[in-house]
């Protein structure tokens, strides 16, 4: 019980890497404001990966050099949490909630917390937390990184995968149209950019090559970062000068972590196909990003 302590923020982590980053970022801000420690409940991944009806997900936060301990549900821990009257906070809706930033430990938190507003005033702290392990990057990606840093690089992230193949996911998210990407490319390249190169990232790179191979601009299709190396795509996107993103949390972080002060970011105007979630997503994207 002493190891669990009472000055703790317990955060339930689920989903892909982008979702996990939103959740951990929110918990980190609550912990920082209250001089608390973070415990991660990653039980989702044990249960999820045993269920054939769910899309396989992996706990991805371990790539970052972050300070946390894992919370494991047990009779002793559950009894202790009940004894200290642990508060549980379940995010009431997808929209930004200012009151959530006033949460106090000990507390168990579950939700998505997908809004740039949660990070307001803590941007440098969040960027420091999500520092990628560049020393683990292979030579091919180091070469791509060097090219990205020495050109007017534009990343384009195209999310397909479960957005296309899984009917339930498709009804919630939908996919960005080919027209959206072509219009975004036109908008960003007409803005007096010189010597630019477009870098395509996707979980369906074959579809991307088929649809964008005839694009007249200088381009590269990044197709070598799979599975446990997919974080390298996010890292490379964050190093591009400008970003065209999908309606994806993975996309969001690639652009948000881009530290170029003069960056242009284009995001889809419609984030969710589901009308209720779409109505709750108005505070997700920073106002400086272009929505089309």
């Amino acid at each position: 019980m002493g190891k669990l302590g009472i000055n703790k923020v317990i955060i339930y982590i689920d989903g892909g890497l982008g979702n996990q980053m939103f959740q951990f970022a929110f918990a980190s801000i609550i912990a920082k404001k209250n001089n608390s420690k973070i415990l991660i409940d990653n039980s989702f991944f044990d249960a999820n990966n045993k269920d054939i009806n769910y899309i396989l997900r992996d706990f991805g936060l371990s790539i970052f050099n972050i300070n946390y301990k894992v919370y494991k549900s047990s009779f002793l821990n559950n009894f202790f949490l009940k004894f200290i009257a642990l508060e549980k906070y379940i995010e009431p809706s997808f929209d930004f909630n200012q009151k959530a930033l006033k949460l106090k430990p000990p507390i168990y938190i579950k939700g998505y917390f997908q809004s740039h507003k949660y990070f307001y005033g803590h941007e440098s702290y969040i960027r420091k937390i999500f520092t990628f392990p560049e020393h683990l990057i292979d030579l091919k990606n180091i070469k791509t990184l060097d090219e990205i840093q020495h050109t007017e690089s534009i990343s384009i992230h195209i999310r397909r995968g479960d957005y296309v193949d899984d009917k339930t996911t498709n009804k919630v998210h939908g996919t960005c149209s080919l027209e959206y990407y072509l219009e975004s490319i036109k908008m960003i390249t007409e803005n007096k950019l010189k010597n630019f190169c477009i870098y395509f990232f996707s979980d369906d790179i074959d579809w991307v090559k088929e649809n964008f191979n005839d694009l007249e601009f200088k381009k590269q299709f990044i197709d070598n970062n799979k599975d446990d190396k997919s974080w390298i795509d996010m890292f490379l996107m964050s190093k591009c000068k400008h970003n065209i993103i999908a309606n994806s949390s993975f996309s969001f972080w690639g652009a948000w972590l881009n530290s170029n002060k003069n960056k242009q970011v284009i995001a889809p105007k419609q984030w969710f196909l589901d009308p209720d979630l779409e109505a709750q997503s108005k505070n997700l994207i920073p106002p400086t990003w272009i929505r089309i």
Side-chain angles (χ1 to χ4, degrees), residues 2 23 40 65 152 174 176 195 197 211 223 247 253 262:
Q23 292 159 346
I40 284 180
N65 185 26
E152 199 68 25
C176 294
N195 302 318
C197 180
N211 285 275
D223 58 4
N247 55 334
W253 284 108
N262 298 312

PDB file of all heavy atoms in Angstrom, residues 2 23 40 65 152 174 176 195 197 211 223 247 253 262:
ATOM      1  N   GLY A   2       2.001   1.161   0.671  1.00  0.00           N
ATOM      2  CA  GLY A   2       2.871   2.318   0.728  1.00  0.00           C
ATOM      3  C   GLY A   2       3.404   2.687  -0.642  1.00  0.00           C
ATOM      4  O   GLY A   2       3.609   3.841  -0.952  1.00  0.00           O
ATOM      5  N   GLN A  23      -3.729  11.144 -23.639  1.00  0.00           N
ATOM      6  CA  GLN A  23      -4.078  10.728 -22.279  1.00  0.00           C
ATOM      7  C   GLN A  23      -2.936  10.997 -21.305  1.00  0.00           C
ATOM      8  O   GLN A  23      -3.145  11.543 -20.208  1.00  0.00           O
ATOM      9  CB  GLN A  23      -4.454   9.242 -22.293  1.00  0.00           C
ATOM     10  CG  GLN A  23      -5.747   8.957 -23.033  1.00  0.00           C
ATOM     11  CD  GLN A  23      -5.879   7.516 -23.504  1.00  0.00           C
ATOM     12  OE1 GLN A  23      -4.915   6.750 -23.515  1.00  0.00           O
ATOM     13  NE2 GLN A  23      -7.076   7.131 -23.918  1.00  0.00           N
ATOM     14  N   ILE A  40       0.208   4.379 -14.519  1.00  0.00           N
ATOM     15  CA  ILE A  40      -0.474   4.044 -15.761  1.00  0.00           C
ATOM     16  C   ILE A  40      -1.208   2.725 -15.610  1.00  0.00           C
ATOM     17  O   ILE A  40      -0.612   1.715 -15.219  1.00  0.00           O
ATOM     18  CB  ILE A  40       0.530   3.960 -16.935  1.00  0.00           C
ATOM     19  CG1 ILE A  40       0.930   5.363 -17.378  1.00  0.00           C
ATOM     20  CG2 ILE A  40      -0.065   3.186 -18.103  1.00  0.00           C
ATOM     21  CD1 ILE A  40       1.925   5.376 -18.528  1.00  0.00           C
ATOM     22  N   ASN A  65      11.223   8.776 -22.852  1.00  0.00           N
ATOM     23  CA  ASN A  65      11.915   8.696 -21.560  1.00  0.00           C
ATOM     24  C   ASN A  65      11.082   9.420 -20.511  1.00  0.00           C
ATOM     25  O   ASN A  65      11.415  10.529 -20.075  1.00  0.00           O
ATOM     26  CB  ASN A  65      13.315   9.302 -21.670  1.00  0.00           C
ATOM     27  CG  ASN A  65      14.110   9.143 -20.391  1.00  0.00           C
ATOM     28  OD1 ASN A  65      13.865   8.219 -19.604  1.00  0.00           O
ATOM     29  ND2 ASN A  65      15.055  10.043 -20.177  1.00  0.00           N
ATOM     30  N   GLU A 152      12.525  22.523 -48.017  1.00  0.00           N
ATOM     31  CA  GLU A 152      11.223  23.044 -47.578  1.00  0.00           C
ATOM     32  C   GLU A 152      10.258  21.857 -47.570  1.00  0.00           C
ATOM     33  O   GLU A 152       9.440  21.674 -48.469  1.00  0.00           O
ATOM     34  CB  GLU A 152      10.744  24.151 -48.519  1.00  0.00           C
ATOM     35  CG  GLU A 152       9.680  25.049 -47.943  1.00  0.00           C
ATOM     36  CD  GLU A 152      10.169  25.922 -46.805  1.00  0.00           C
ATOM     37  OE1 GLU A 152      11.383  26.204 -46.733  1.00  0.00           O
ATOM     38  OE2 GLU A 152       9.337  26.322 -45.981  1.00  0.00           O
ATOM     39  N   GLY A 174     -14.690   8.000 -40.595  1.00  0.00           N
ATOM     40  CA  GLY A 174     -14.662   8.287 -42.017  1.00  0.00           C
ATOM     41  C   GLY A 174     -13.213   8.439 -42.474  1.00  0.00           C
ATOM     42  O   GLY A 174     -12.274   8.212 -41.697  1.00  0.00           O
ATOM     43  N   CYS A 176     -10.411  10.954 -44.998  1.00  0.00           N
ATOM     44  CA  CYS A 176     -10.215  12.179 -45.771  1.00  0.00           C
ATOM     45  C   CYS A 176     -10.187  11.819 -47.260  1.00  0.00           C
ATOM     46  O   CYS A 176      -9.580  10.829 -47.657  1.00  0.00           O
ATOM     47  CB  CYS A 176      -8.909  12.856 -45.380  1.00  0.00           C
ATOM     48  SG  CYS A 176      -8.881  13.467 -43.685  1.00  0.00           S
ATOM     49  N   ASN A 195      11.762  25.097 -53.593  1.00  0.00           N
ATOM     50  CA  ASN A 195      12.583  23.906 -53.325  1.00  0.00           C
ATOM     51  C   ASN A 195      11.922  22.957 -52.328  1.00  0.00           C
ATOM     52  O   ASN A 195      12.582  22.389 -51.464  1.00  0.00           O
ATOM     53  CB  ASN A 195      13.967  24.317 -52.796  1.00  0.00           C
ATOM     54  CG  ASN A 195      14.704  25.216 -53.761  1.00  0.00           C
ATOM     55  OD1 ASN A 195      14.686  24.991 -54.970  1.00  0.00           O
ATOM     56  ND2 ASN A 195      15.335  26.258 -53.232  1.00  0.00           N
ATOM     57  N   CYS A 197       9.747  19.622 -51.017  1.00  0.00           N
ATOM     58  CA  CYS A 197       9.604  18.199 -51.289  1.00  0.00           C
ATOM     59  C   CYS A 197       8.488  17.672 -50.399  1.00  0.00           C
ATOM     60  O   CYS A 197       8.414  18.016 -49.216  1.00  0.00           O
ATOM     61  CB  CYS A 197      10.904  17.443 -51.024  1.00  0.00           C
ATOM     62  SG  CYS A 197      10.797  15.653 -51.345  1.00  0.00           S
ATOM     63  N   ASN A 211      -2.175   6.492 -55.974  1.00  0.00           N
ATOM     64  CA  ASN A 211      -2.969   7.696 -56.196  1.00  0.00           C
ATOM     65  C   ASN A 211      -2.155   8.982 -56.321  1.00  0.00           C
ATOM     66  O   ASN A 211      -2.685   9.994 -56.805  1.00  0.00           O
ATOM     67  CB  ASN A 211      -3.999   7.847 -55.076  1.00  0.00           C
ATOM     68  CG  ASN A 211      -5.159   6.893 -55.214  1.00  0.00           C
ATOM     69  OD1 ASN A 211      -6.131   7.166 -55.915  1.00  0.00           O
ATOM     70  ND2 ASN A 211      -5.053   5.729 -54.579  1.00  0.00           N
ATOM     71  N   ASP A 223       8.066   4.282 -46.571  1.00  0.00           N
ATOM     72  CA  ASP A 223       7.386   2.987 -46.461  1.00  0.00           C
ATOM     73  C   ASP A 223       8.138   1.970 -45.606  1.00  0.00           C
ATOM     74  O   ASP A 223       7.855   0.772 -45.652  1.00  0.00           O
ATOM     75  CB  ASP A 223       7.166   2.398 -47.858  1.00  0.00           C
ATOM     76  CG  ASP A 223       8.465   2.209 -48.638  1.00  0.00           C
ATOM     77  OD1 ASP A 223       9.551   2.470 -48.065  1.00  0.00           O
ATOM     78  OD2 ASP A 223       8.393   1.802 -49.811  1.00  0.00           O
ATOM     79  N   ASN A 247      -7.496  13.111 -40.278  1.00  0.00           N
ATOM     80  CA  ASN A 247      -8.330  13.203 -39.071  1.00  0.00           C
ATOM     81  C   ASN A 247      -7.906  12.104 -38.101  1.00  0.00           C
ATOM     82  O   ASN A 247      -8.661  11.175 -37.806  1.00  0.00           O
ATOM     83  CB  ASN A 247      -9.814  13.080 -39.436  1.00  0.00           C
ATOM     84  CG  ASN A 247     -10.132  11.817 -40.226  1.00  0.00           C
ATOM     85  OD1 ASN A 247      -9.286  11.268 -40.916  1.00  0.00           O
ATOM     86  ND2 ASN A 247     -11.373  11.351 -40.127  1.00  0.00           N
ATOM     87  N   TRP A 253      -0.310  14.790 -33.559  1.00  0.00           N
ATOM     88  CA  TRP A 253       0.941  14.934 -32.830  1.00  0.00           C
ATOM     89  C   TRP A 253       2.126  15.177 -33.757  1.00  0.00           C
ATOM     90  O   TRP A 253       3.060  15.915 -33.393  1.00  0.00           O
ATOM     91  CB  TRP A 253       1.177  13.706 -31.950  1.00  0.00           C
ATOM     92  CG  TRP A 253       0.318  13.714 -30.730  1.00  0.00           C
ATOM     93  CD1 TRP A 253      -0.765  12.919 -30.462  1.00  0.00           C
ATOM     94  CD2 TRP A 253       0.457  14.584 -29.595  1.00  0.00           C
ATOM     95  NE1 TRP A 253      -1.314  13.238 -29.248  1.00  0.00           N
ATOM     96  CE2 TRP A 253      -0.587  14.255 -28.688  1.00  0.00           C
ATOM     97  CE3 TRP A 253       1.344  15.602 -29.265  1.00  0.00           C
ATOM     98  CZ2 TRP A 253      -0.743  14.915 -27.477  1.00  0.00           C
ATOM     99  CZ3 TRP A 253       1.175  16.258 -28.050  1.00  0.00           C
ATOM    100  CH2 TRP A 253       0.148  15.915 -27.176  1.00  0.00           C
ATOM    101  N   ASN A 262       7.323  29.030 -38.287  1.00  0.00           N
ATOM    102  CA  ASN A 262       6.640  29.492 -39.494  1.00  0.00           C
ATOM    103  C   ASN A 262       5.885  28.366 -40.196  1.00  0.00           C
ATOM    104  O   ASN A 262       5.578  28.473 -41.382  1.00  0.00           O
ATOM    105  CB  ASN A 262       7.655  30.114 -40.461  1.00  0.00           C
ATOM    106  CG  ASN A 262       8.349  31.333 -39.865  1.00  0.00           C
ATOM    107  OD1 ASN A 262       7.690  32.221 -39.322  1.00  0.00           O
ATOM    108  ND2 ASN A 262       9.665  31.371 -39.951  1.00  0.00           N
TER     109      ASN A 262
END
